[in-house]
Amino acid sequence: MDVGSSGMRVCSSLGCLGLNPLGGLGKVVGGRSSFSSGKGRSHQGPVKYGFTLVKGKANHPMEDYHVAKFVLLQGHELGLFAIYDGHLGDSVPAYLQKHLFSNILKDEEFWTDPNQSISKAYEKTDQAILSHSPDLGRGGSTAVTAILIDGQKLWVANIGDSRAVLSKNGQAIQMSIDHEPNIERGSIENRGGFVSNMPGDVARVNGQLAVARAFGDKNLKSHLRSDPDVRNADIDSDTELLILASDGLWKVMSNQEAVDIAKKTKDPLRAAKQLAVEALNRDSKDDISCIVVRFKG
């Protein structure tokens, strides 16, 4: 996420990516290494996933975290995928990695009204973060989450500018909404805040934050929203893959360009790596996190 910082380049090429072994299923990532990747698959169907996280040029520690795993719950197999892009520290995305999905899935209405359960859990988790702010600090995080139910139904939610893109018959379909300050200027101003548009810079809430919705950010919270946009899709024979990524990818690549790169290989880990490499080649300066979920072989 863009908070206006810059610094040394840590990983900048395929060579950097090649120096590291593959991580395992559901590997915990963030704050300590410049690179991590891994892969996994459904135990009940053809769905496979791969993920890659690469530290950006900024001189702070890695602030992106992820979730990518399959779990069994009440007789159903759930694919849980998320990108959490932190700012002003990694404590909030680390908290989300540990708690957000559990808050969604333990809601008693999840199986009958996933939309409502996801929305409630996002708000509940944000309130918990704010109540723990002395421990978690003043930072915040975006989130994009995807829950795949029995390989057939997909629920995507997001706040901020981490994005989910679905490919159907090779065509990119954006499943999330980028919450940019200029787009939500009315809401921000109604809450007593303002949006700055300095020459050569992106729009920022109160001159600070480049997204209009986020978890945490206690000092700005009165001017920010933390309710997610939630969408769903049926996974049919025309649905090829899902890409979740932080804005380190989307700042330099269109939805269709990402889909065109990812669909060239049936290996989702290789696809995620190729997306990260291309973002680096296009001089992306932010942390780059990418999950590719492939729905068929």
Side-chain angles (χ1 to χ4, degrees):
M1 180 186 301
D2 185 357
V3 289
S5 59
S6 62
M8 294 178 59
R9 188 169 201 151
V10 176
C11 274
S12 60
S13 68
L14 182 59
C16 173
L17 291 177
L19 289 173
N20 297 270
L22 301 184
L25 174 65
K27 182 180 179 186
V28 175
V29 174
R32 284 158 294 282
S33 64
S34 61
F35 168 84
S36 183
S37 68
K39 61 183 179 179
R41 64 179 305 144
S42 164
H43 299 289
Q44 299 182 353
V47 184
K48 300 182 293 184
Y49 68 83
F51 63 86
T52 291
L53 298 93
V54 184
K55 187 187 181 304
K57 293 180 178 180
N59 58 6
H60 55 67
M62 177 70 162
E63 292 178 333
D64 283 9
Y65 280 63
H66 85 291
V67 173
K69 61 184 178 180
F70 281 94
V71 299
L72 292 175
L73 186 66
Q74 295 187 22
H76 297 273
E77 184 181 61
L78 302 180
L80 305 179
F81 307 99
I83 298 291
Y84 305 124
D85 180 359
H87 48 272
L88 300 177
D90 66 356
S91 58
V92 174
Y95 184 92
L96 292 170
Q97 183 191 56
K98 187 175 182 179
H99 296 287
L100 182 56
F101 274 127
S102 63
N103 287 342
I104 294 172
L105 298 178
K106 69 186 180 185
D107 187 275
E108 59 187 17
E109 295 180 332
F110 173 75
W111 299 106
T112 57
D113 192 351
N115 190 328
Q116 182 69 15
S117 290
I118 292 167
S119 296
K120 285 195 310 185
Y122 264 63
E123 294 276 16
K124 176 182 177 180
T125 306
D126 189 50
Q127 290 301 314
I129 289 168
L130 296 176
S131 69
H132 289 93
S133 60
D135 302 315
L136 296 178
R138 63 190 184 94
S141 181
T142 72
V144 59
T145 59
I147 301 176
L148 179 65
I149 304 176
D150 294 323
Q152 298 176 340
K153 191 76 173 183
L154 181 70
W155 288 88
V156 173
N158 84 295
I159 58 174
D161 57 5
S162 295
R163 189 184 302 171
V165 174
L166 201 63
S167 173
K168 285 204 173 202
N169 289 320
Q171 297 300 305
I173 302 169
Q174 187 165 323
M175 291 291 293
S176 57
I177 295 175
D178 294 348
H179 297 130
E180 299 175 354
N182 274 334
I183 295 176
E184 302 203 359
R185 180 187 294 268
S187 169
I188 293 164
E189 292 178 345
N190 287 339
R191 293 165 174 259
F194 67 91
V195 176
S196 64
N197 287 278
M198 300 297 290
D201 194 12
V202 297
R204 296 179 184 275
V205 179
N206 293 9
Q208 300 175 53
L209 188 62
V211 290
R213 303 190 198 184
F215 284 100
D217 290 297
K218 186 170 186 177
N219 293 342
L220 290 173
K221 182 56 67 175
S222 60
H223 306 146
L224 297 175
R225 292 170 60 182
S226 56
D227 54 306
D229 281 296
V230 183
R231 295 185 63 184
N232 68 83
D234 293 320
I235 304 304
D236 55 26
S237 60
D238 296 328
T239 312
E240 296 130 342
L241 54 87
L242 172 72
I243 302 170
L244 301 182
S246 59
D247 66 328
L249 181 80
W250 303 117
K251 282 179 181 176
V252 297
M253 196 178 302
S254 71
N255 295 343
Q256 191 62 52
E257 286 175 323
V259 164
D260 290 345
I261 291 170
K263 72 179 184 180
K264 288 179 181 178
T265 173
K266 292 185 177 181
D267 180 355
L269 173 57
R270 183 171 178 82
K273 283 187 173 185
Q274 290 176 336
L275 286 168
V277 168
E278 182 60 26
L280 290 169
N281 289 340
R282 297 185 184 196
D283 203 31
S284 176
K285 296 175 175 61
D286 205 348
D287 298 336
I288 301 166
S289 301
C290 180
I291 301 170
V292 176
V293 183
R294 191 168 185 90
F295 295 109
K296 51 190 179 181

